[in-house]
Amino acid sequence: MEKYIDKKEILTKALLIMNPKIKKSLLSVDLNDRDDLEQEIKLKIVEAVLGGKIDFPPTFTDYYEVFTNKAIQQANNS
Amino acid sequence: MEKYSSLSEFKKKNTEFLSQPIVQSFFDDSRNLSLLELSVVDGDIEAQNQLDRRFVEHFFLCRLIKYISTLSFRFSIDFNKRRRKQKENFPLLVDQPNNESNSTMLDYLSVTQEQLTIVNEGESSNIFELVVDEALYKILMKLGKKEKEVIQLILGDQLKQIEIARILNESPQNIAKTKKKALMKIRKQYEKRG
């Protein structure tokens, strides 16, 4: 499944969505350091995505099965 | 996945599953809901594959957003700490103590009051001799006698216009006019030269 997903596209989407949040976190540092920090944060994010640091999520079917199995187990235990 | 007769039956039997935040946000998009109906009710494999892919994309996006949110918060704190430490450990070059004497580089570079007065005393003689630029010197030499005098008194001796007026026995307005004219002349000719 992993090769069917365009990670870069999701990355761009996430960066666009989260841009205000990143900008907000810059407010806590010195005015001269803000551009540096912004660059470093974005670099870290890109590295995390391309380096596979973020766990790959299960597919819908897998997730559904795991969830229902867990529910059955819990029902049996109690 | 097992089959259901209708979407509402699936919803009824899986209320807990559908109330998961990630699933809930996934089905906010009505296209996903229709895909689910196709795969659960009609057993459409293509729809199920599409559903799987879209779910993975959605889940991945959510994880990434969460990651960015925590990272940008923590990283800025960390960054601040690092910068402060760096400033403490590596002060500016001029603040570092000098090896030979116990003064800092800044002491060596800065000008003391004594040195300043020496420079001032040497300067007060003739402003025209201090000009290094040859073109500017020629232009200055071309000025009228009174203009030269006023420029010397203002720039060389650092006098006020009122004081000059008293020395030359003229009105302050006249001095101001002479000064303005002289400076204009200098500027014009200096710009023309190039």
Side-chain angles (χ1 to χ4, degrees), chain A residues 8-72:
Chain A
K8 283 178 192 163
E9 200 190 307
I10 300 176
L11 172 66
T12 341
K13 214 168 154 188
L15 278 177
L16 279 178
I17 295 173
M18 295 306 284
N19 203 33
K21 168 88 183 171
I22 296 172
K23 285 269 188 301
K24 193 185 160 200
S25 74
L26 299 181
L27 297 180
S28 66
V29 301
D30 197 71
L31 205 66
N32 297 325
D33 295 336
R34 282 184 193 169
D35 282 347
D36 284 355
L37 179 60
E38 187 180 350
Q39 195 177 14
E40 277 197 48
I41 289 178
K42 286 187 175 165
L43 184 72
K44 275 252 160 172
I45 294 164
V46 174
E47 274 175 0
V49 171
L50 298 185
K53 229 180 168 185
I54 293 168
D55 291 340
F56 204 74
T59 62
F60 184 74
T61 328
D62 292 344
Y63 188 71
Y64 177 77
E65 266 166 26
V66 169
F67 189 85
T68 39
N69 285 344
K70 227 188 235 167
I72 292 168

Side-chain angles (χ1 to χ4, degrees), chain B residues 78-95:
Chain B
D78 230 48
F79 186 86
N80 237 347
K81 237 189 236 168
R82 246 186 302 148
R83 273 289 150 106
R84 216 177 313 129
K85 222 174 204 174
Q86 198 182 15
K87 263 183 198 160
E88 275 169 21
N89 291 344
F90 303 102
L92 273 181
L93 217 60
V94 287
D95 287 335

Side-chain angles (χ1 to χ4, degrees), chain B residues 71-193:
Chain B
L71 178 90
S72 56
F73 174 70
R74 296 235 180 105
F75 203 71
S76 62
I77 296 174
D78 230 48
F79 186 86
N80 237 347
K81 237 189 236 168
R82 246 186 302 148
R83 273 289 150 106
R84 216 177 313 129
K85 222 174 204 174
Q86 198 182 15
K87 263 183 198 160
E88 275 169 21
N89 291 344
F90 303 102
L92 273 181
L93 217 60
V94 287
D95 287 335
Q96 276 174 6
N98 201 332
N99 291 345
E100 290 153 24
S101 58
N102 50 4
S103 63
T104 63
M105 192 71 178
L106 189 63
D107 292 334
Y108 176 72
L109 286 176
S110 56
V111 178
T112 61
Q113 199 56 45
E114 288 164 41
Q115 285 166 321
L116 257 183
T117 46
I118 292 170
V119 172
N120 276 342
E121 276 166 15
E123 187 189 50
S124 68
S125 56
N126 191 344
I127 186 89
F128 297 102
E129 284 168 9
L130 292 173
V131 179
V132 185
D133 191 335
E134 211 171 304
L136 182 60
Y137 184 75
K138 271 182 194 161
I139 294 168
L140 282 174
M141 283 301 116
K142 268 189 222 159
L143 291 177
K145 190 184 160 215
K146 204 169 121 200
E147 285 167 338
K148 270 191 202 168
E149 213 169 8
V150 171
I151 294 253
Q152 162 67 28
L153 287 172
I154 288 178
L155 297 179
D157 303 330
Q158 307 265 308
L159 291 183
K160 282 181 193 156
Q161 284 181 15
I162 287 193
E163 292 168 326
I164 298 170
R166 225 172 280 139
I167 293 171
L168 298 182
N169 214 359
E170 279 190 49
S171 68
Q173 288 86 346
N174 213 350
I175 298 294
K177 225 165 147 188
T178 316
K179 175 193 161 196
K180 205 171 156 191
K181 248 186 180 169
L183 290 181
M184 279 247 284
K185 248 189 209 170
I186 295 170
R187 187 171 300 146
K188 246 189 195 165
Q189 295 195 18
Y190 197 73
E191 276 168 1
K192 232 201 260 172
R193 151 206 73 109

